[in-house]
Amino acid sequence: MLHETTVVEDRGQYQDVVTPWERETWREEALDWVEGELAARGLRATGTLGVRLRPWSVLVRVPVEVHGTQDTVWFKANPPASAFEGALTAALSRWVPERALAPLAVDPGRGWSLLPDGGELFRDVLEREPVEVSIWEELLRQYARVQVALVPYTREIEELGVPGARTTALPEAFDRLVAENTVLRTDERARLARLRPRLVDWCAELAAVGVPDSLDHSDLHDGQLFCPAPGRFVFFDWGDAAVTHPFCSLLVPARRACDRYGADVLPRLRDAYLEPWTGAGRTAAELRRAVSLAWRLGALGRATSWGRLFPSATSGAEGEADGARWLLALLTEPPL
């Protein structure tokens, strides 16, 4: 049986993390579910299981064999706050099939999903060979096209359990995040309180540009992208997602590209991302201003994501510290 297979665990920097994997009954139930779903598809698990344990997910690499051919599938368990990810991934595979994985199986009630292998990570490509900035421009164009295509589905996305953080409601999200964070100092709270009227104005100005809310991945770095063929990208790991202003998505990938190429690449990346959003009477100046506003407000999405951890995974201090760091990033002028 699968739960009797040899396991190699990877806890990364979270050596003391406590996840559901530590509970024998949960572990056996999860692996029995995987085994049953594999059998229903003519697949058989072979070899050692690779288990990656983090405060925000349990990820199991399962080697499989079908008709003598070796392959890999992935089991993922999300915490309750991101249990929507499997259902969202399945929906994306229907709405934007070339840019999303199609899960083999999903159990939304338990936050479980079984996924095929998506190919090489963009991060691995970056480590293996020189990559021109133009490749980052193309991945941002492809991602923006996904967001444009998903605009008509925002209500359905929210019905799947994906949090709504609509542009006009971001001040309320800000209030909640500040109130719930226990590590902000008194002086930091005072600085954020003084910032709030400006934040309200930013949200109103951003909404007035007329770019509709869509799906924001919220953590689109090079480890969340498959590159199955040169110039083609598949987006995954949607556990931090929200329905909000789409331009908030640019914050994370642009920062990663800056780390690699320097800040001079930012205008190129911004303009490539904006190409699919042009038209509808919006000027280039309006769209660029919207990017500047959304860059700053994107920090709210990152602060929110640190609340999506397993209840048993941590005391909350580490997540709250990261959340506080992102809230304080609102005080920093954007580089664009």
Side-chain angles (χ1 to χ4, degrees):
M1 298 179 69
L2 193 56
H3 55 76
E4 297 174 347
T5 303
T6 303
V7 170
V8 175
E9 292 184 358
D10 166 21
R11 295 175 181 267
Q13 62 180 318
Y14 303 96
Q15 292 300 308
D16 298 325
V17 67
V18 179
T19 70
W21 180 261
E22 277 67 48
R23 301 201 308 269
E24 183 177 358
T25 54
W26 185 94
R27 186 169 64 246
E28 292 187 359
E29 184 179 358
L31 294 180
D32 285 346
W33 179 78
V34 170
E35 193 166 36
E37 295 296 341
L38 291 177
R41 290 156 181 80
L43 300 171
R44 182 175 65 87
T46 61
T48 300
L49 303 180
V51 181
R52 183 178 184 270
L53 302 173
R54 298 293 187 269
W56 53 85
S57 69
V58 172
L59 187 66
V60 182
R61 180 184 183 276
V62 184
V64 296
E65 179 182 319
V66 55
H67 305 309
T69 301
Q70 298 298 315
D71 203 349
T72 300
V73 301
W74 300 84
F75 165 76
K76 184 172 185 178
N78 290 81
S82 62
F84 60 79
E85 186 182 354
L88 174 61
T89 301
L92 294 177
S93 73
R94 299 191 301 272
W95 297 332
V96 285
E98 293 186 355
R99 302 290 171 228
L101 292 178
L104 300 174
V106 171
D107 187 328
R110 293 187 286 192
W112 294 352
S113 53
L114 191 64
L115 298 158
D117 190 67
E120 188 171 35
L121 289 175
F122 185 46
R123 174 175 293 169
D124 294 337
V125 176
L126 292 171
E127 291 177 355
R128 188 184 66 243
E129 61 191 45
V131 173
E132 298 294 329
V133 176
S134 59
I135 302 300
W136 290 76
E137 293 177 282
E138 179 57 25
L139 80 82
L140 288 171
R141 287 190 197 95
Q142 292 181 21
Y143 175 70
R145 292 186 192 114
V146 166
Q147 292 183 295
V148 171
L150 293 176
V151 167
Y153 299 104
T154 53
R155 183 65 60 84
E156 292 176 64
I157 291 171
E158 289 174 320
E159 289 173 352
L160 292 173
V162 178
R166 301 282 184 161
T167 304
T168 54
L170 286 176
E172 288 73 22
F174 169 82
D175 292 342
R176 175 182 55 79
L177 288 164
V178 173
E180 293 177 354
N181 192 285
T182 62
V183 302
L184 285 167
R185 301 193 310 265
T186 301
D187 63 306
E188 292 170 338
R189 290 182 185 280
R191 294 172 67 196
L192 291 170
R194 290 193 297 270
L195 180 73
R196 190 184 190 281
R198 295 178 63 199
L199 184 140
V200 171
D201 290 342
W202 296 335
C203 293
E205 183 182 355
L206 187 57
V209 175
V211 173
D213 290 331
S214 186
L215 187 65
D216 170 21
H217 185 287
S218 188
D219 194 24
L220 190 65
H221 57 71
D222 47 41
Q224 316 278 44
L225 297 160
F226 290 121
C227 188
R232 177 170 176 259
F233 296 95
V234 174
F235 309 100
F236 72 102
D237 205 343
W238 295 91
D240 292 333
V243 174
T244 188
H245 199 284
F247 292 6
C248 292
S249 288
L250 189 59
L251 172 64
V252 171
R255 282 165 54 106
R256 290 298 181 96
C258 282
D259 290 343
R260 182 171 290 270
Y261 303 101
D264 290 346
V265 303
L266 277 177
R268 289 179 58 181
L269 299 178
R270 173 199 60 200
D271 291 348
Y273 173 78
L274 288 175
E275 284 181 23
W277 296 103
T278 57
R282 306 180 196 107
T283 67
E286 288 174 327
L287 290 173
R288 288 173 177 172
R289 171 61 177 166
V291 164
S292 180
L293 294 166
W295 180 289
R296 203 162 197 165
L297 294 168
L300 292 173
R302 299 302 304 129
T304 299
S305 69
W306 281 102
R308 301 181 191 179
L309 308 178
F310 287 115
S312 61
T314 173
S315 63
E318 184 169 348
E320 298 235 358
D322 280 295
R325 178 171 59 84
W326 279 107
L327 286 171
L328 294 171
L330 290 163
L331 299 164
T332 303
E333 290 292 330
L336 283 169

